[in-house]
């Protein structure tokens, strides 16, 4: 059994405890019902929302900076919206509302330390058909400069926290600030994750104004990976800009995909 399956089973078991399944079995320990094994059955993990089955997806370059760097290829008109620095208890649901309104799938790059306190937000992301991704445990801005053991902890612990909350292991990793090294790539790859950069960055994290964010995102062309944020501060400008950008890009014939 591989690590992803183990993590999925642990997450499912935790969910069973939360739902009161295990206490019920404890109460009948002396007279366990015949269906006890069926009660404990591990549910199937959520379906992968990506444009290609996770097991088949490969990086042509690592990290990737475009959908053209992946095989099998994304649809010719595809772009990917990626959302960084959540989950946030207020702004992530606001972003999810906009995505639902315009039927746009996205990829959420999550900071591990924020996951346990926002597990329901993570579960909403998964239930809505979005992709989940690892964005380190604490968001160190120069990850490659850290000792190897610390780099591994930042990536692996975030991976495990996300897997537990989402009942599925993340298949993608983004280094904070797009800071890469071969060591960072190798550690993420050893956890069966593809490293993801971006092609269009409106720097919405700096709150440059809705017109600036909108105009930058509207430069998107087929194959582009777009970067926005749902964490790290007030994201009202991002939410407002997405309400304009998403329908505008779809009207141009672009198709949004989750990684």
């Amino acid at each position: 059994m591989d690590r992803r399956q183990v993590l999925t089973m642990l997450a499912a078991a935790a969910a069973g405890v939360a739902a009161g399944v295990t206490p019920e079995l404890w109460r009948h320990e002396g007279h366990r019902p015949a269906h006890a094994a069926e009660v404990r059955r591990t549910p199937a993990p959520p379906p992968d929302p990506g444009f290609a089955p996770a097991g088949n997806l490969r990086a042509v370059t690592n990290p990737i900076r475009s959908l053209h760097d992946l095989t099998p290829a994304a649809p010719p008109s595809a772009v990917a919206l990626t959302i960084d620095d959540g989950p946030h208890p207020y702004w992530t649901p606001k972003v999810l509302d906009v995505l639902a309104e315009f039927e746009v799938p996205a990829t959420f790059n999550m900071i591990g330390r924020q996951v346990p306190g926002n597990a329901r937000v993570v579960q909403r992301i998964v239930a809505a058909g979005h992709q989940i991704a690892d964005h380190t445990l604490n968001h160190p801005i120069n990850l490659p400069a850290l000792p190897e053991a610390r780099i591994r902890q930042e990536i692996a612990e975030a991976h495990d926290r996300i897997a537990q909350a989402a009942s599925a292991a993340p298949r993608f990793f983004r280094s904070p600030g797009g800071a890469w090294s071969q060591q960072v790539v190798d550690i993420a790859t050893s956890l069966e994750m593809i490293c993801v950069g971006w092609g269009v960055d409106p720097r919405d994290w700096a709150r440059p104004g809705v017109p600036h964010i909108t105009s930058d995102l509207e430069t998107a062309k087929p194959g582009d990976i777009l970067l926005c944020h749902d964490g790290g501060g007030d994201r009202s400008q991002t939410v407002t800009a997405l309400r304009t950008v998403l329908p505008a890009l779809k009207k141009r014939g672009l198709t949004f995909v989750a990684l």
Side-chain angles (χ1 to χ4, degrees):
M1 185 174 292
D2 64 23
R3 181 179 186 183
R4 189 186 318 157
Q5 290 173 311
V6 171
L7 289 169
T8 301
M9 291 178 65
L10 287 173
V17 171
V21 172
T22 302
E24 178 67 25
L25 293 175
W26 286 341
R27 283 196 295 272
H28 298 282
E29 187 66 27
H31 304 281
R32 181 170 297 176
H35 69 278
E38 184 175 326
V39 172
R40 290 189 175 191
R41 186 181 301 157
T42 302
D48 192 303
F51 66 85
N56 296 343
L57 203 61
R58 296 289 182 270
V60 177
T61 65
N62 207 354
I64 68 165
R65 293 182 171 84
S66 164
L67 294 177
H68 300 311
D69 297 333
L70 288 168
T71 184
S77 61
V79 294
L81 175 62
T82 60
I83 313 288
D84 284 18
D85 295 355
H88 188 278
Y90 182 80
W91 292 114
T92 304
K94 292 292 186 185
V95 170
L96 286 169
D97 288 345
V98 177
L99 297 177
E101 180 180 351
F102 297 104
E103 299 182 330
V104 167
T107 299
F108 285 80
N109 298 286
M110 303 181 191
I111 297 176
R113 71 166 185 263
Q114 295 165 191
V115 166
N118 293 291
R120 290 193 178 186
V121 177
V122 175
Q123 290 155 14
R124 180 181 169 187
I125 290 170
V126 173
H130 302 294
Q131 187 65 272
I132 54 173
D134 183 334
H135 198 36
T136 71
L137 181 65
N138 296 294
H139 200 271
I141 201 60
N142 193 359
L143 183 65
L146 300 178
E148 181 181 0
R150 174 74 188 283
I151 294 173
R152 187 171 297 278
Q153 179 192 21
E154 285 286 339
I155 299 173
E157 190 167 337
H159 172 283
D160 291 357
R161 290 190 184 193
I162 295 165
Q164 184 173 23
S167 297
R171 289 278 292 120
F172 300 91
F173 171 75
R174 172 170 285 162
S175 187
W180 299 102
S181 69
Q182 191 59 52
Q183 190 172 65
V184 169
V185 170
D186 288 346
I187 291 172
T189 302
S190 74
L191 295 172
E192 300 183 1
M193 295 189 291
I194 293 172
C195 298
V196 180
W198 59 80
V200 179
D201 177 11
R203 295 177 63 85
D204 63 316
W205 60 269
R207 299 195 289 273
V210 173
H212 176 92
I213 298 171
T214 301
S215 63
D216 275 15
L217 290 175
E218 287 185 345
T219 66
K221 60 187 182 301
D224 277 343
I225 297 173
L226 286 58
L227 171 62
C228 285
H229 293 77
D230 63 338
D234 182 341
R235 294 293 159 241
S236 56
Q237 291 183 10
T238 300
V239 172
T240 301
L242 287 174
R243 286 193 179 278
T244 299
V245 170
L246 299 184
L249 294 184
K250 292 180 79 172
K251 189 175 181 179
R252 281 176 42 200
L254 295 177
T255 304
F256 286 91
V257 297
L259 294 174

